[in-house]
Amino acid sequence: MRALLLTLITVTFLSSNAQAGDAAKGEKTYRKCASCHMVGPKAKNRVGPQLNGIIGREIGAISGYKYSKGMIAYAAEQKVWTEENLAAYLATPRKVVKGTRMSFAGLRKETDRDNIIAYLKKAAN
């Protein structure tokens, strides 16, 4: 019983750390996004919307940005960006949101997605 408990604690700890991501590494990976998206105090909409406060933000809700019909339909289903649905979107944007204008193919590595999410959470504050 004690061994099982230790195993569960270890697995929980390791999986939560894996999902936490590394913001410094995420900043480097974010460079792939920076030509279309801004983050930080002076962030503005570009080809894509600014990403400040994206986690917990209503999907498709940035004032002054014209979202695709696909993103508007997705927003009707999902409502709010969570770490989970953002990670899925970053993996394969065009599969998750049919009709999105985002031409980026996606981030195949889960660690890259976790790192970018950690960076976005840190950079927007």
Side-chain angles (χ1 to χ4, degrees):
M1 184 68 164
R2 186 171 182 216
L4 177 61
L5 183 59
L6 269 167
T7 302
L8 285 172
I9 291 169
T10 303
V11 168
T12 301
F13 177 77
L14 291 175
S15 65
S16 67
N17 277 351
Q19 292 176 350
D22 180 322
K25 289 180 181 177
E27 183 175 11
K28 290 178 184 176
T29 306
Y30 178 79
R31 291 178 190 156
K32 297 176 182 182
C33 314
S35 62
C36 296
H37 297 279
M38 290 182 77
V39 68
K42 296 181 181 180
K44 296 178 182 159
N45 296 331
R46 288 185 170 170
V47 172
Q50 57 88 0
L51 301 176
N52 288 339
I54 191 164
I55 304 299
R57 183 172 82 196
E58 208 175 306
I59 296 174
I62 293 293
S63 178
Y65 184 78
K66 185 174 177 173
Y67 290 93
S68 66
K69 290 178 184 176
M71 187 58 74
I72 292 167
Y74 183 70
E77 296 172 16
Q78 291 294 317
K79 307 293 183 210
V80 173
W81 285 115
T82 63
E83 290 184 36
E84 293 77 19
N85 63 15
L86 181 58
Y89 182 67
L90 291 173
T92 54
R94 285 179 248 144
K95 286 184 181 177
V96 172
V97 178
K98 305 290 185 208
T100 185
R101 279 192 229 121
M102 190 155 122
S103 61
F104 184 66
L107 296 169
R108 286 186 279 170
K109 295 180 184 177
E110 183 177 0
T111 55
D112 286 344
R113 296 188 301 271
D114 292 342
N115 292 342
I116 280 192
I117 290 169
Y119 170 69
L120 290 172
K121 286 167 53 176
K122 179 182 172 192
N125 293 328

